[in-house]
Amino acid sequence: MSDPVLIERTGDIVVWTLNNPEARNPISESDVIEALEDAVHAVNRDSTVRVAILTGAGTAFSSGGNIKHMRDRAGMFGGAPAELRQSYRHGIQRIPKALYHCEIPTIAAVNGPAIGAGCDLALMCDMRIAASTATFAESFVKVGLIPGDGGAWLLPRAIGMARASEMAFTGAAIDAATALAWGMVSTVVPTGRLLETAHELAGRVAANPPDVLRMTKKLLREGQQQSLDSLLELSAAMQAIAHQTDDHHEAVAAMLERRAPRFTGR
């Protein structure tokens, strides 16, 4: 049996590839959930990894939930209401929690359709780039369901409430050009250049001090929910740490000496 998520590391960048192209990379199976969770835990523990890229094998990014399992009421889609609630809480909802608490910057390289929970999976990443063939659909209403994996929290933060409401209430798909215009993705490129572009972006991110990247991501996350006063207190504490790092001193020295910095993560 093939790995549900392929993991490939190049230098300080790791690529996570959803690996069920025949079924269009659904993420509702327990092995996929566990693999994504484990992948996040691994990079959180490894200070030498600086950026993660998430993509899908084949022509789809992710179809979200397994429609056949919904029909058959199998897996996480089976059982009484109380059992279904627990299936979501202890199943697919582990993915947004894991990615939210992923300490390194993440890039979704959306190579094709991102449907339902697949659309939300892209939104769980910090940055998103899309192939020109990509489409996005918050399509839960089309199967008589609601966004059960955090989409109602993620989508308005990405594109605003009015556009999020349009996507969620109609279930209609938008193309990559519309996703770019709406701010859901930052770049659209030809399919053949997607991973190259993702690596270029990851490289520009990874060129910076790794501990500062992790602290900056933490501040961006906390800034979504804390008051300004609370965030300023946290910023002051983190800045005091950053000032004492070797990487800060190296960055200043390199800038003054007009040379490329050499960061060590210390």
Side-chain angles (χ1 to χ4, degrees):
M1 185 175 179
S2 59
D3 293 333
V5 177
L6 300 178
I7 299 175
E8 181 180 4
R9 180 167 174 179
T10 304
D12 42 26
I13 299 166
V14 66
V15 179
W16 302 326
T17 304
L18 302 174
N19 189 35
N20 189 357
E22 294 81 9
R24 297 168 66 82
N25 302 319
I27 58 171
S28 52
E29 278 79 8
S30 60
D31 60 343
V32 179
I33 295 166
E34 290 171 6
L36 286 172
E37 201 173 43
D38 289 346
V40 171
H41 291 164
V43 299
N44 284 351
R45 293 190 299 266
D46 188 347
S47 61
T48 66
V49 184
R50 301 189 186 186
V51 186
I53 298 169
L54 175 61
T55 193
T59 58
F61 178 71
S62 173
S63 60
N66 189 312
I67 296 295
K68 291 182 179 179
H69 286 184
M70 292 182 194
R71 177 198 62 194
D72 300 336
R73 300 184 181 183
M76 67 170 287
F77 304 117
E83 294 172 305
L84 279 162
R85 175 174 177 264
Q86 294 302 327
S87 292
Y88 273 83
R89 293 180 65 239
H90 300 294
I92 198 169
Q93 289 183 355
R94 288 157 53 191
I95 298 176
K97 289 180 179 180
L99 286 170
Y100 185 84
H101 293 291
C102 182
E103 294 178 9
I104 63 172
T106 54
I107 301 168
V110 184
N111 53 298
I115 308 300
C119 178
D120 294 341
L121 179 65
L123 296 172
M124 294 171 202
C125 296
D126 302 308
M127 297 162 280
R128 290 168 292 280
I129 63 175
S132 56
T133 53
T135 56
F136 300 83
E138 191 76 351
S139 56
F140 297 92
V141 294
K142 293 296 187 182
V143 290
L145 295 175
I146 54 92
D149 60 342
W153 191 89
L154 295 159
L155 191 58
R157 283 169 166 78
I159 61 174
M161 184 59 75
R163 285 169 171 159
S165 297
E166 179 181 335
M167 288 189 70
F169 294 157
T170 67
I174 61 171
D175 60 17
T178 302
L180 179 63
W182 286 7
M184 182 181 286
V185 302
S186 58
T187 306
V188 174
V189 297
T191 302
R193 290 195 56 236
L194 180 66
L195 284 180
E196 175 190 348
T197 304
H199 275 281
E200 288 173 356
L201 174 58
R204 287 189 282 122
V205 174
N208 295 299
D211 288 336
V212 169
L213 284 174
R214 292 184 183 226
M215 287 192 287
T216 300
K217 174 165 179 173
K218 180 66 172 177
L219 287 175
L220 288 171
R221 287 289 197 231
E222 293 300 320
Q224 292 183 300
Q225 54 194 337
Q226 287 193 8
S227 68
L228 176 60
D229 286 345
S230 296
L231 188 72
L232 288 173
E233 286 292 336
L234 181 59
S235 301
M238 287 189 172
Q239 194 73 301
I241 295 170
H243 270 287
Q244 298 302 312
T245 62
D246 291 345
D247 281 346
H248 164 62
H249 300 303
E250 166 63 10
V252 172
M255 190 170 293
L256 292 173
E257 296 167 14
R258 298 184 179 182
R259 59 172 174 81
R262 298 179 293 274
F263 296 126
T264 61
R266 293 195 295 269

